[in-house]
Amino acid sequence: MTLTPAPPGTLHSRLAWAITDAWVITCRDLAHWARQPGAVIANTLLFPILIVLMFGYLLGGAMTVPGGGDYRDFLMPGMFAMTMVFGIGATLAAVSADAARGITDRFRSMPMATSAVIAGRAAADMLNSAAALAVLTGCGLMVGWHPHRGATRAVAALALLLLLRFAFVWTGIYLGLTYYRNPEAVTAARTLEFPVGFLGNPFVAISTMPAWLSAIAQWNPLSSTVSAARQLFGDPTGSHPSWITDHAVLMAVAWPLLLIAVFFPLSLHRYRHLSR
Amino acid sequence: MGTSAIACEGLCKRFGKATALGGLDLAVPEGAVYGLLGPNGAGKTTAVRVLATLLRPDSGHARVAGFDVARQAAQVRARIGLAGQNAAVDEILSGRQNLVMFGRLYHLPIGAARRRADELLAQFALTEAAGEPVRQYSGGMRRRLDLAASFIVAPRVLFLDEPTAGLDPHGRNEVWQTIRTLAGGGTTVLLTTQYLDEADQLADAIAVIAAGRVVAEGTPGDLKSLAGGDRIDVVLRDAGDLVPAARLLQARFRADVRLDNDSRELSVPVTGRLATLTEIIRSLQDENITAEDITVRRPTLDEAFLYLTGQQPPSSGTAAPAPASPSSLPR
């Protein structure tokens, strides 16, 4: 009995082959959710909701937004973006676990399209993040937040958030394939997610920060996406006039594209040369 | 005939300053079960990773199933199976889900992937646990699933990198049985192991490697002969007689006598079996040393290993009784 598959010849059939492979890998993650609904609900859904409630109600009373506006309206775009940041850890953990346990090597020894494993990973993570964003939006609507500038701008804001997540997918894949032998590094990367958020504008307005910190915070790629989302949703922006804040939408496109341009080729290279 | 399923010449691979492969030459005939035997760090895993297209060699050539591993990696990948040191299966999915997924990645249509998964589950005695998540499987079951996954397309060449590492004796026996069945179907198997008894049990031919080169090659029997012919083991009644008896026999036969305090045992390499046996008995009687047991035997693979690599075997496994910590005679 020989079932040996023939690797495809033409460009068209190669592409179809790669898409099939990537889809099988994506389905693997979807099957994980079906097998462990509890873990998915806790990690991707409950955690952001908990933070919305904590910051919105517990700490929110002490917060004032410079330039005026409701703190919960200010917070929601920040929370959307933080959910995208938390995705780095999820990608990193999944990628490093597969690499450490030899599953990635099994894939690499199979007649699969080279790009399929990481492309499938990226697709699964994007689906996961889109679902998380949908739940968080629902949560926002329940605490009284809503977009003020129409559906088109709201969709554009969500698209910018997912673009940031897409950039973080490649960051996470690269870090996962680089540090999979070192579980401490993986844990450290995950605990660094919060500081990344606090060194930006998701929770507090940049104008309240000391000068040196505000310089860092406004050039944090996360801040551009948050500012752009606030503008597009019509939420308070915590007025901080500067070049980068004035061009928030442009920078919310530019930063993720830059990250993708750096980490996509690095990820592919790491995958191809995984064995040290 | 004369075709090699695996052929490599002068394979070299360095990691920084460490040499993992220092000019590896192998020729594994079609259908053979070939054992790559060596201690940790001998280059076994690196060799498998190069042959399975996971790692590019710095120099040298390798062909697997007739294709060059560096230039025709896709063709090689369509014809090999790989089971590494860990069971590389998804722990969250069930056994069946794993096999269907891998089948899909070999581009079987979904119906064929499902049928193949069920066939393999039956063949590897996993049908009952097919729907359970893999994290609930025993170590032996995981390895069997891992082997099943590497066997989806009935590969021409199957690489097994320490397939029983970390298993208990029961799990190891299960996996051995499975490997014998797979090899019976005509697949060429390259098996790495640091367990001497495992190579002895499974392989038709063995290459002993050290520092990334083959230091000896042959059947298990050939390698045992290389270790220096037959040995006579003498168990003494009194541990106190051990050193005097060893000195006596060493002087008498001019041979390297090894002794083991725990089992009160001496081991003497010999050439003429019966003549030496009677001489040993007479010499010991002359000195009033009582022997409880005397056996003439072929050398074990452990001794061959020691002789060939100049170092202690890292592990002798559990199935074969190996001489317990042989030490050199104090002088």
Side-chain angles (χ1 to χ4, degrees):
Chain A
M1 175 201 52
T2 304
L3 299 167
T4 305
T10 67
L11 184 67
H12 182 262
S13 62
R14 283 234 287 270
L15 192 64
W17 181 276
I19 290 171
T20 311
D21 285 340
W23 175 240
V24 173
I25 299 290
T26 305
C27 287
R28 171 187 172 215
D29 259 54
L30 303 183
H32 280 186
W33 303 357
R35 284 253 165 205
Q36 320 187 285
V40 175
I41 290 168
N43 289 335
T44 61
L45 307 181
L46 282 185
F47 186 58
I49 292 173
L50 206 69
I51 296 182
V52 168
L53 297 179
M54 195 173 83
F55 276 89
Y57 290 91
L58 201 67
L59 306 174
M63 301 282 199
T64 50
V65 183
D70 181 68
Y71 180 68
R72 281 199 289 281
D73 283 348
F74 176 81
L75 174 68
M76 279 315 297
M79 271 321 299
F80 291 146
M82 280 311 289
T83 305
M84 304 300 105
V85 174
F86 295 140
I88 299 181
T91 303
L92 176 57
V95 169
S96 61
D98 273 1
R101 290 225 312 277
I103 294 176
T104 310
D105 276 344
R106 160 153 280 152
F107 290 144
R108 290 176 66 233
S109 76
M110 292 171 66
M112 294 174 61
T114 311
S115 56
V117 174
I118 50 181
R121 164 95 267 138
D125 285 349
M126 290 308 293
L127 285 175
N128 184 305
S129 291
L133 208 49
V135 171
L136 203 57
T137 305
C139 171
L141 294 172
M142 276 159 64
V143 300
W145 168 87
H146 61 90
H148 300 279
R149 295 181 65 197
T152 315
R153 287 196 174 85
V155 169
L158 293 174
L160 286 179
L161 287 159
L162 287 172
L163 179 65
L164 182 69
R165 176 67 181 104
F166 194 59
F168 288 161
V169 164
W170 299 107
T171 316
I173 290 176
Y174 173 72
L175 294 175
L177 291 177
T178 306
Y179 295 109
Y180 70 94
R181 287 171 206 275
N182 188 349
E184 292 86 7
V186 174
T187 314
R190 297 201 77 167
T191 44
L192 283 175
E193 287 171 348
F194 256 105
V196 166
F198 284 111
L199 286 178
N201 62 357
F203 302 105
V204 289
I206 287 175
S207 53
T208 64
M209 297 176 184
W212 63 273
L213 190 57
S214 76
I216 297 173
Q218 63 180 318
W219 285 94
N220 183 340
L222 180 64
S223 300
S224 294
T225 302
V226 174
S227 296
R230 282 179 183 141
Q231 288 173 16
L232 291 167
F233 284 133
D235 289 325
T237 54
S239 63
H240 180 78
S242 73
W243 183 88
I244 191 158
T245 334
D246 294 343
H247 297 82
V249 175
L250 173 72
M251 290 309 290
V253 175
W255 271 128
L257 290 183
L258 180 67
L259 288 172
I260 292 166
V262 171
F263 285 107
F264 174 74
L266 283 177
S267 299
L268 205 57
H269 182 265
R270 275 284 160 196
Y271 178 81
R272 287 201 172 117
H273 302 88
L274 187 63
S275 317
R276 295 216 273 185
Chain B
M1 291 309 294
T3 54
S4 291
I6 303 169
C8 61
E9 270 176 38
L11 277 190
C12 290
K13 182 73 194 176
R14 300 173 67 82
F15 297 113
K17 283 183 179 165
T19 303
L21 295 178
L24 185 76
D25 302 319
L26 284 178
V28 179
E30 200 93 45
V33 179
Y34 196 88
L36 217 50
L37 179 64
N40 274 333
K44 304 186 298 292
T45 297
T46 306
V48 166
R49 298 178 72 80
V50 168
L51 295 173
T53 76
L54 296 179
L55 197 61
R56 270 178 172 266
D58 297 336
S59 61
H61 299 282
R63 294 178 81 79
V64 170
F67 294 97
D68 188 282
V69 294
R71 282 179 291 114
Q72 298 166 299
Q75 281 90 339
V76 172
R77 285 174 192 153
R79 289 164 181 82
I80 62 170
L82 169 69
Q85 292 183 19
N86 306 309
V89 285
D90 189 307
E91 306 243 307
I92 299 167
L93 300 182
S94 71
R96 178 179 284 115
Q97 282 178 312
N98 265 286
L99 293 180
V100 172
M101 172 181 73
F102 288 121
R104 296 283 286 140
L105 292 174
Y106 277 107
H107 292 264
L108 302 182
I110 181 76
R114 288 197 183 120
R115 277 195 301 281
R116 183 68 181 140
D118 286 333
E119 271 170 36
L120 288 166
L121 288 164
Q123 189 185 345
F124 291 80
L126 290 166
T127 304
E128 248 176 75
E132 304 290 321
V134 171
R135 85 170 90 80
Q136 289 173 17
Y137 284 21
S138 71
M141 289 164 74
R142 275 174 213 223
R143 284 308 173 99
R144 294 206 310 269
L145 182 66
D146 194 47
L147 289 173
S150 64
F151 213 67
I152 283 172
V153 295
R156 295 265 303 279
V157 179
L158 182 59
F159 295 102
L160 303 176
D161 191 13
E162 306 203 3
T164 62
L167 290 186
D168 61 19
H170 178 70
R172 180 175 304 168
N173 277 327
E174 287 176 357
V175 169
W176 281 356
Q177 205 49 53
T178 308
I179 293 171
R180 286 194 192 100
T181 314
L182 294 182
T187 294
T188 307
V189 179
L190 181 79
L191 164 92
T192 78
T193 182
Q194 39 177 314
Y195 299 125
L196 307 160
D197 52 317
E198 184 160 282
D200 204 5
Q201 286 271 344
L202 297 173
D204 313 323
I206 296 174
V208 178
I209 72 171
R213 314 174 54 104
V214 176
V215 293
E217 195 188 1
T219 64
D222 291 342
L223 293 183
K224 287 177 194 173
S225 308
L226 273 178
D230 295 342
R231 302 190 77 93
I232 294 180
D233 292 343
V234 186
V235 179
L236 300 180
R237 198 180 59 191
D238 257 321
D241 288 338
L242 216 50
V243 172
R247 291 226 163 97
L248 176 76
L249 297 178
Q250 184 149 298
R252 181 76 191 73
F253 297 104
R254 298 181 184 285
D256 187 19
V257 177
R258 285 188 299 149
L259 59 86
D260 180 357
N261 280 307
D262 298 331
S263 56
R264 303 190 311 279
E265 194 174 69
L266 299 170
S267 179
V268 189
V270 295
T271 40
R273 297 160 65 112
L274 278 179
T276 317
L277 187 61
T278 45
E279 273 202 59
I280 287 179
I281 295 169
R282 195 176 306 137
S283 312
L284 291 176
Q285 270 175 349
D286 290 349
E287 298 293 320
N288 280 329
I289 294 171
T290 314
E292 272 187 348
D293 193 13
I294 297 185
T295 43
V296 185
R297 61 171 178 83
R298 312 269 300 139
T300 64
L301 212 42
D302 288 82
E303 285 157 332
F305 190 88
L306 243 157
Y307 175 82
L308 293 167
T309 63
Q311 54 187 309
Q312 295 285 333
S315 169
S316 53
T318 51
S325 57
S327 52
S328 293
L329 181 64
R331 283 163 206 269

